[in-house]
Amino acid sequence: MTLRVFVPYETTALSLGADDVATLICREAEARGIELELVRNGSRGLFWLEPLVEVETDAGRYAFGPVEAGDVASLFEAGFARGAVDHPLALGPTEEIPWLKRQQRVTFARIGVTDPVSIEDYRAHGGFAGLEKAVTCTPQQLVDMVKASGLRGRGGAAFPTGIKWQTVLDAKGAKKYIVCNADEGDSGTFADRLVMESDPYMLIEGMVIAGLAVGATQGYIYLREEYPLADELLTLAIERARAAGFLGDDILGSGQRFELEVRLGAGAYICGEETSLLESLEGKRGLVRAKPPLPAIEGLFGMPTVVNNVLSLAAVPSILSEGPEHYASFGIDRSKGTLPFQLAGNLTRGGLVELAFGHSLRELIEDFGGGTATGRPVRAVQVGGPLGAYLSPAQFDTLLDYEAFSAIGAVLGHGGVVVFDDSVDMAEQARFSMEFCVEESCGKCTPCRIGAVRGVEVIDRIMQGESRDANLALLDDLCDTMMQGSLCAMGGMTPFPVKSAMTLFPEDFQRQRGDQS
Amino acid sequence: MEDNHTVMDTTLEQLVGSLKDTPGALLPILHRIQDQFGYVPDRALPIIAKALRCTTADVHGVISFYHHFRRSQPGRHLLEVCRAEACQARGAREFERHVKERLKIGFDQTTADGEFTLKAVYCLGNCATGPSLRQGDRVLSRMNPERFDKLVEDLTTYKLELK
């Protein structure tokens, strides 16, 4: 009987030695005369257990992790093929691991289960069912389904996706575009990367459906240069999808056309802002455009363009195949569906947790995350990337939904959760936010370009104890100017982490420090 | 030297020519050139400008806007240290200090022996197992001074072939 083993081919798993483990498993099987089928699946997102090796048994898939090269021989000794439940790294049946079982995986249902670039695997797990339905619908029916699902943009701004699509459908243009924003630059986020590396056909399918819905014939995935593996896997998946008739001149024999291409960014955070991204796609400096006109009316090369985040587009296939009511049945109030939270930073159990809206932040950090990796108390949590506010433990009962976060002056954004222990210096973190804005501002508007530089200077003076009260007042003023006067979220939201640090952790701005050289 | 330049120009012209009709061609062109040469040589600018019907200043403006593009040859190994929050929460600040001390260079500098070029990067999307470091197209997790020193040693140890 063939032994079927799964070893992830995904950035985090590889960064922890998955390739070595895979090689050794092959060698060990050969030495023992065992016939082996090695599947390089995606990652299920349980990053503290990577490399997470799975084996197929009569009772389903059993997991082991974190497996290091030195553990491979002992896995075989312990009866790998039977699930080796006595092995110290044995985790039992994969689907029964509580961390995974407690999640509500909709978008990420296939992640880590399948071979990312196998079309057969994708289809066997419900893939392309959405597109098969889509080719039988009118564009308006498709847009209506997305509207009915309540899907809101997952890039951070939470704009209703269906309304954006309607605008592009109604707009007149010689050509229309679907642009996928895969410039996932926020620290603490990796959900887009996981989709692209571990289930790329889902994104491709979502983009084709979007094309059919609004009458666009060309799609671009604007991918950050920092994700070389996603580039490799997406490009391969696109080639295979084209060869199989899911892309090209005659999609599934419907006579409809859609082409798709990956375009690499070049290390500019600002290009995650949609208008800056469009400039970059046009081959220019990524300077933010003033809105209006909206990209939906005048977008890429001046044509009507849908710009959606990876997760928004990835949610579309299941909205089509399962029906919009199914998607809308998750979540609360105006936050429908699920959001993949990304547990990052100083946590014992970091990784991807997909949940319906409405759980609490505490549940994520304590139950899923298991507290800090260092074992010290949690002091601050930054949610929603480098432009998101810092929260203190007193706010951990806030419900995870767009409106509840907005009510406490925070943002849910792309769902990144970065945890810090009590060794963090919040004045230092505030300074970093300004420093990051200096580094990444596109330079078009003054409040952002100059404000951030002044911000670093003022925080330096505060940290050195120079006219502290006056400088704190000045910093507060500067934050207001940036918030009110900046052209986009870069300058407009950099003050969020700064102000929240000042408000929630004032003691760190009063402390006398040593030399700041 | 003349010959080298001629060879380089021919390669550049072919490369630019094959991409110049792509919509929004400049970034794809710059990527291909940098992948080929390790940087964007000065000689490429007039060639690109001519093909895309813009000025060399326009091309320079785009190159200088993006952190990824370089105008000079980097070291043999490119090391990118993540400076973003999720890695900070796991000790990236201390790690960065060690890296700079060990290599005796700062960001955007190359060691005197031409072995290493150091760059800052803001997030590699490897945020649950930081501090993260990228070496070429490989990402490494849970970096610390010991692991970094070992990496430097491995990368600078050359295997001698005995005949």
Side-chain angles (χ1 to χ4, degrees), chain A residues 254-476:
Chain A
S254 66
Q256 306 199 69
R257 195 157 57 92
F258 191 75
E259 267 308 331
L260 185 54
E261 198 184 309
V262 177
R263 282 290 175 90
L264 286 187
Y269 175 76
I270 193 63
C271 291
E273 196 283 333
E274 61 176 1
T275 62
S276 160
L277 186 157
L278 294 174
E279 289 286 302
S280 184
L281 264 182
E282 291 181 6
K284 304 176 194 155
R285 293 163 70 89
L287 295 187
V288 171
R289 294 178 186 169
K291 288 191 271 194
L294 292 170
I297 311 281
E298 272 181 51
L300 188 62
F301 302 114
M303 295 296 157
T305 304
V306 168
V307 186
N308 276 156
N309 176 256
V310 173
L311 299 178
S312 319
L313 291 162
V316 170
S318 73
I319 290 172
L320 268 281
S321 62
E322 309 287 319
E325 307 76 25
H326 177 74
Y327 192 79
S329 69
F330 294 96
I332 50 168
D333 301 331
R334 287 170 54 208
S335 297
K336 295 293 186 206
T338 58
L339 189 67
F341 296 96
Q342 297 126 83
L343 303 189
N346 193 342
L347 277 177
T348 308
R349 297 190 292 264
L352 185 115
V353 178
E354 183 173 3
L355 286 176
F357 290 95
H359 291 261
S360 74
L361 186 58
R362 185 180 304 282
E363 223 178 310
L364 274 185
I365 295 167
E366 293 176 2
D367 299 355
F368 283 97
T372 64
T374 44
R376 302 172 67 112
V378 175
R379 177 140 187 261
V381 176
Q382 189 177 29
V383 182
L387 307 178
Y390 282 100
L391 303 179
S392 79
Q395 296 167 305
F396 284 1
D397 290 317
T398 309
L399 290 188
L400 298 161
D401 93 347
Y402 293 124
E403 277 69 31
F405 262 65
S406 155
I408 60 163
V411 285
L412 209 46
H414 192 53
V417 177
V418 177
V419 176
F420 292 81
D421 72 12
D422 63 354
S423 65
V424 68
D425 178 341
M426 294 307 293
E428 194 71 75
Q429 293 309 119
R431 185 187 188 280
F432 177 80
S433 298
M434 287 292 189
E435 200 187 337
F436 183 67
C437 188
V438 173
E439 195 71 22
E440 300 296 339
S441 171
C442 83
K444 183 158 178 169
C445 71
T446 318
C448 176
R449 183 184 66 242
I450 309 285
V453 177
R454 294 289 172 263
V456 174
E457 293 167 1
V458 175
I459 296 174
D460 276 344
R461 286 202 288 272
I462 292 167
M463 288 169 77
Q464 283 155 15
E466 193 182 317
S467 319
R468 193 171 268 142
D469 291 342
N471 277 315
L472 278 167
L474 188 62
L475 179 58
D476 205 50

Side-chain angles (χ1 to χ4, degrees), chain B:
Chain B
M1 204 58 191
E2 274 300 307
D3 280 354
N4 280 346
H5 281 160
T6 320
V7 173
M8 191 187 246
D9 285 355
T10 314
T11 314
L12 284 168
E13 263 154 22
Q14 278 170 358
L15 220 149
V16 173
S18 69
L19 285 168
K20 73 176 171 58
D21 296 322
T22 324
L26 188 47
L27 262 72
I29 287 175
L30 293 172
H31 272 296
R32 281 278 284 281
I33 293 176
Q34 185 156 305
D35 288 348
Q36 174 94 24
F37 297 100
Y39 68 111
V40 182
D42 289 345
R43 306 183 68 78
L45 271 69
I47 297 172
I48 299 171
K50 194 174 163 212
L52 299 185
R53 296 163 188 266
C54 62
T55 66
T56 51
D58 290 332
V59 180
H60 169 77
V62 169
I63 296 173
S64 65
F65 183 85
Y66 295 97
H67 300 303
H68 177 68
F69 298 126
R70 290 181 290 271
R71 293 289 297 273
S72 60
Q73 188 77 53
R76 224 162 62 87
H77 303 287
L78 183 63
L79 300 180
E80 297 176 73
V81 178
C82 182
R83 296 195 73 212
E85 289 90 344
C87 282
Q88 287 168 12
R90 299 179 67 97
R93 287 171 194 268
E94 296 74 21
F95 178 64
E96 177 186 325
R97 267 197 291 278
H98 174 81
V99 169
K100 289 175 169 169
E101 273 166 28
R102 175 71 170 77
L103 299 178
K104 301 191 181 63
I105 51 171
F107 288 127
D108 298 315
Q109 294 179 347
T110 300
T111 51
D113 59 5
E115 286 288 340
F116 297 101
T117 294
L118 193 60
K119 271 191 68 180
V121 65
Y122 295 90
C123 199
L124 295 165
N126 191 46
C127 311
T129 53
S132 303
L133 176 83
R134 179 176 171 192
Q135 180 240 324
D137 274 351
R138 178 165 78 129
V139 176
L140 299 165
S141 281
R142 296 189 190 125
M143 290 306 291
N144 57 36
E146 297 74 48
R147 297 188 60 174
F148 182 75
D149 292 350
K150 170 90 171 42
L151 175 75
V152 167
E153 239 164 72
D154 289 349
L155 292 174
T156 48
T157 306
Y158 301 101
K159 283 179 190 140
L160 287 178
E161 216 174 309
L162 294 177
K163 298 229 162 145

Side-chain angles (χ1 to χ4, degrees), chain A residues 54-73:
Chain A
E54 290 176 81
V55 64
E56 200 165 80
T57 74
D58 296 338
R61 277 158 73 161
Y62 275 63
F64 302 86
V67 177
E68 289 179 29
D71 302 317
V72 171

